[in-house]
Each structure stands twice: as C-alpha cells, then as structure tokens.
Amino acid sequence: MRWRQALAWTRESLGGIARALGTTVAWCVIGSFVAVTAISILWKLDAPAVRGLDAAAAALPSRFYADLLSIEIPKLAPTEDGSSFSTKNVASFLTKLTTGIDPADPRTLAAQLLPGAQGEGSIILIQGIGTGPADYPVEVPPAPHLQEPSEALPEGPIGGEPPQGEAPSDPAEETPDPNAQPGESPGESPSAPPDPESPPEPAPNVVFIYHSHPTESYLPELEGITKIDEAYDQNDKSNTVAAVGARLLESLEKKGVGAIHSDLLYPWRGAYNESRKTIKTAMAKYEDLNYFIDIHRDAARADKTRLTVDGVSYAKLYFVVGQKNPNYEKNQALAEELHYRIEEKVKGISRGVVGKKAGSNGEFNQSLSPNSILIEFGGVDNTLEECYRTVEVLAEVLAEMHWERAEAVKADAPAASDPLSGGDAAKPDATDAQATPRRHA
C-alpha cells in the first residue's frame, strides 16, 4: 500500500516538475524571441525615428493637444478613443517615437525586419500630414520592355540644347528689311519701351532641373494603361515628369529666377550614374547654378499622393535625402526648409522628408552639392494638372529662398569692405558666390 502511495506521489511530483519546466522553457523561448526581435530592430535603426523636440512635437497626435485643453476646460468633450494619457496611448507613442514602429500597424514591424521590405534603409525624418510611419516612397521599376530608351534623341549634352556642331538660327542673318530705318540692324524691329508689368529679367541660371527617371508618367495621362509598372512613356515627354520640370522652369523664370532644364533619357539601370554626368556638365558650363532638383514620380496611390483643398486638387511632394552622402545633413537642411516653407503656402501639400541609405541608390548625386534634392511629384494616380498646381507653389518657395539669400549677401557686402573693420576686404568664397548669383545688369 505504501509503495503505491509513494509511486503516486512520485508521479505527481514528476508531473509538477515537468509542467514547471515546460512553463519555464516556454517563457524562455518567448523572452528570447522578444529580446532578439528588439535587438534586431534597434540594430537596424541608424537614428531615432523622430529627431529633436520640433519633430517630436509634430509626431504627437492632434488629440493630445485637445486632451491638454480638456484639463483646463472641463466641458471639453473627451475623444471616443479615450485620453491620450492612457497607458496604452502613451506606450504606443513612445514606441513610435523611439523605433518608428506603430503597434497598431504590423507593416511598420515588417518594414524594419524583412529583407527587401519597402522601408529597408529608409527613415522618415519629417512626417507630413497624413503620412503614416511606414509610408515610404514606393518604387516600382518599369516593365522590362520599358527599361531602355526607345531611341537616341538628338539633344545636347544636358538636354534642351542643340547638338554639338549645330548653332541656333540667328535672326540677324535673315533677309534684310528694305524698309528698315538707317541705324537699325537687319531684321531688328524698332525698340519699344519696356512694359512695367513684365516679369523681372531672369537672374543667371541658378536652378538646374533634371530627371534621373525621365520616362516616369501618370496613369491618367496614358490611354489604356492601368498597370503601375507600365506608367512610363518613352515616346512623348509631354506625358512624363519632364513636362513637370519644363513647367517648373517656366514658373521660376516668370519670378525672375533663371533655370536650366534637362530632359535627357537614361536607361533604368545605371540612371543615377548617367544623370551624374549630366549634372557635372551643367556645373562646368553654368557657374551660377546653385540648386539641383531631380524630379521623380512616386508609385504610391492617390490616397497618399493627392491633396484637395477647397475643391482644388494638388499633387503632394515627398522630399528624399540620400544618406549615403557623407554630408547629407546639409541636403537634409534644404529639404526641411522646403518642407516647412511649402506647408506654410498649402497645408498638407508635403508628405514630409525621408532619408534613404538603401534601395536603388541611396546617394542620388547629392554629394555634388549641398543644395541638391530629389522630389517625388505626386504618384501614379495624379494628373499633370495637379502637378502643375503644385509646381506654382514650389516655384514661389524657391524664388523666395533665392532672393532672400541674395539680399542677405548684398546687405553683408558693405560690412565686408568697410576699412574700419580692419584688414583687407573679405572676398566671398565660391560657395557664397554660387549661393547668391547676381541679377543681369
């Protein structure tokens, strides 16, 4: 009898030990998984998802400020989701603040961990209105038959120019007008007084506009095309981002800022290497160039790339900074200034600023100039009219920035040459000379 009791006790003891051991092992496995996941996430993070107090304040949900007001205004109705100061909401915000992962959106975790995920190597530096924690620029390469230029176009070295060896026609070489008055040059019409309402004479060419992927187009402009990887046009530049660049040039020149536009075609593979050559050619030819804008089209859909204000729709902008550039902080400063300035014009028109280290390039030729930036103009569902409306806003911001800097340097010039300041007059360096080109006399 006793041996049966001893056997039962032993069996129960062993069972308890097994259950305890199993529980311990299970918790060890779960703990190890959590630890490995956390370490792998933190290891992949190059920097905090939100930098600085301004960015942290921008990341706070709007209801947070409403809840702050409700502390002082008791009658202010609480939100349906509960207080922003609840344990759940605070934990969620801190997680997004430190890791960029939204507990309510599993895609943000996948973007951090899965190789080849859309967000790999990217970090949202400024999160625009309506931009989620995982709303990175979307790149969909063209279908294989659209990755090579369909033909070699007879253009100049930076596009929009006559080929080497050909000169533009000279109106002075035309047949002389027999009725021309003495003293007039052949083909020259009598001079007219200047129009006081005409736009200011453009400054030296300050802005260089180009497209590393110039065939990127918009589905509404392409008849019969519905697939994202076919939203490209190799034959008609008036349907592509090249048309957006051409409109930006026109808008800048109307505001007195000289610009150059290149619409050269490049093969998809190696496009940034080829466009780099174009930039260097332009820099050597036009010494006053200061801003370099690479205009692209995102592959995101309309819910991410279209803004409607008072019934008027715009293509939203996304500013991309190549963080493989060792001096990317200067390019990032330009992108942030553009973001904040354009948001002052039209609230919500900017999706924000994103930094990229991986993906198709990660440098985007931005090491050539601290004032170089890549801009995603809308997405595949936008129309060119929406892009043109956004162009006007961007051109206004660029013109303001240019003339403000020009006036600042002009104001500093007398102080630099003042003999009372001691020593010889300070000679502006090449960077300052580029940053503030002079108007034509």
Side-chain angles (χ1 to χ4, degrees), residues 300-358:
R301 305 311 299 248
D303 60 324
K304 306 293 184 185
T305 65
R306 178 177 289 129
L307 172 70
T308 302
V309 179
D310 297 330
V312 179
S313 57
Y314 298 83
K316 300 182 74 172
L317 302 178
Y318 215 153
F319 299 98
V320 182
V321 178
Q323 292 187 325
K324 278 189 176 179
N325 167 23
N327 300 313
Y328 75 88
E329 291 90 352
K330 295 180 180 179
N331 303 82
Q332 180 179 327
L334 171 65
E336 292 177 353
E337 182 176 3
L338 287 170
H339 164 79
Y340 288 122
R341 281 179 175 258
I342 203 168
E343 280 287 294
E344 291 177 358
K345 303 290 183 183
V346 181
K347 200 70 174 177
I349 197 171
S350 173
R351 297 172 64 191
V353 180
V354 63
K356 295 188 70 174
K357 277 192 175 180

Side-chain angles (χ1 to χ4, degrees), residues 33 69 78 165 226 230 300 358 384 393 407 432 437:
F33 174 77
L69 290 175
T226 58
E230 294 182 356
L384 283 175
V393 184
E407 290 299 325
D432 292 336

Side-chain angles (χ1 to χ4, degrees), residues 36 46 100 106 173 202 244 282 303 393 402 410 423 439:
V36 169
D46 296 311
E173 295 179 359
V244 179
D303 60 324
V393 184
H402 166 66
K410 183 178 179 181
R439 288 176 181 264

